[in-house]
Amino acid sequence: MKDQILQFLPENHPWKEQLLYFKSIDSTNTRAKELARANALHGTVLIADSQTSGRGRLGRSFHSPAGSGIYMSVIIRPKCKPSELMHLTCTAAVAACDAVEKAVGIRPGVKWINDLVYGQRKLAGILTELGLAKDGSVDYAIIGIGINCSQKEADFPEEIRTIATSLEMIVGRPVDRAKIAAALIEEMERISQELISGKENLMRRYRADCVTIGQSISLLRGETVHHGTALDLDDQGGLVVRFDDGHTEAVNSGEVSIRGMYGYL
Ligand code: BTN
């Protein structure tokens, strides 16, 4: 697999020498963090055929069976403050949509903040994590992405079977995971260069992909569910919501459900 991915990358790609491939691993994000703490270079890429403890946002797990998906983490080292990276997940989502479109020919949407979706179902998830230096600046950022590639509906665990999809389910033909992985590496490298200078443009593109805007949503905060309408995004990627009690607020965390998506009625 590693050789196939390398074949799809341009000869002189700057991250080509830093690609690590694992047959099985607990979590590429967890390992990436360990490597980043041990001074791994900007542009170190970890890809696994399967994960035994794939992690998602909000402490969830990410189902990562062998031979079916792409499980990738990238270590980047932007020189900035953590407050300047609030849009990192949004940026990674745009890059992932670009990669899927380039390699497979369909463009997913994004359910705020980190799910790639297609036909109301979840196709991929993104988990970004930061490590800080002693002076409070960013030491490293990990961008983790998991994409369902070749699963059929029956392959998903029962609890996500009706809300998950895969690229093969969408396009109805086999997809080349190595080609998609290479496209992901290229797009992640591209956004790593534009992260700060190109923020406005990246957020404009995220806004265009985000299917949450304009929808009736519910926000789960702790044990409480709040209902409202998603109006827009702020510059940091926060979701601007007008709640049913009349107040408007930019939401930065919590679980947002969209009416009509993932079985939420
Ligand atoms: C989510 O759905 O909330 C995010 C899922 C992110 C999964 C990817 S797979 C590669 C990387 N390693 C992990 O443990 N998680 C991310």
Side-chain angles (χ1 to χ4, degrees), residues 27-29 51 53-57 62 71-73 114-115 122 125-127 144-146:
S27 150
T28 54
N29 260 41
Q51 298 183 117
S53 305
R55 296 188 285 113
R57 196 167 155 261
F62 188 81
Y71 317 113
M72 173 189 290
S73 299
N114 67 323
D115 282 357
K122 175 162 173 165
I126 291 166
L127 178 66
I145 171 150

